[in-house]
Amino acid sequence: MNFIGSIQVVLFFVFYLVIFALAAWALVDCLTRPAAAFTSAGKRTRTFWIWVLVAATVVSFLSIPIPGVYLGFPSFLALLAAAAAIVYLVDVRPAVAPYSRRRGGGRGPQRGGW
């Protein structure tokens, strides 16, 4: 393998590792949120998001390329896993955060001010 090929292998490994970390972070965050916060925020249920993120985490883990080993798993599915994690982190997480006990004491959205 030439030098450029070695760099590509390392970059692909890092890329898929970042996708796995993103999916795992989204899953852990979802597991720490109360179920009532999801319905209060008008989002899909916590159970729905847990299953989506579990699938995303498993797919992204299986997609990590091990240098010299080909498992036959279609690694492009990791992009779908990344999309699911990003949707959760960018859309659902900020909507659920005000209803979480960690922020705002579970009293609903806080309206700033003095």
Side-chain angles (χ1 to χ4, degrees):
M1 187 180 298
N2 59 15
F3 180 70
I4 299 296
S6 298
I7 291 175
Q8 286 178 335
V9 168
V10 170
L11 287 178
F12 275 120
F13 181 74
V14 170
F15 177 70
Y16 286 107
L17 200 61
V18 167
I19 291 174
F20 171 68
L22 189 71
W25 173 36
L27 176 61
V28 169
D29 185 79
C30 184
L31 290 171
T32 61
R33 304 287 176 176
F38 289 81
T39 54
S40 297
K43 299 295 177 183
R44 300 287 302 246
T45 64
R46 179 175 178 243
T47 305
F48 171 81
W49 281 108
I50 287 173
W51 282 112
V52 166
L53 295 171
V54 162
T57 304
V58 169
V59 165
S60 62
F61 178 76
L62 292 175
S63 297
I64 296 173
I66 301 169
V69 178
Y70 179 68
L71 298 177
F73 190 80
S75 60
F76 70 90
L77 292 177
L79 298 176
L80 296 176
I86 289 169
V87 166
Y88 174 81
L89 291 171
V90 172
D91 181 44
V92 178
R93 183 176 185 247
V96 172
Y99 300 97
S100 176
R101 289 187 187 106
R102 291 183 293 174
R103 298 182 189 146
R107 298 180 303 225
Q110 300 300 312
R111 299 281 185 217
W114 291 57

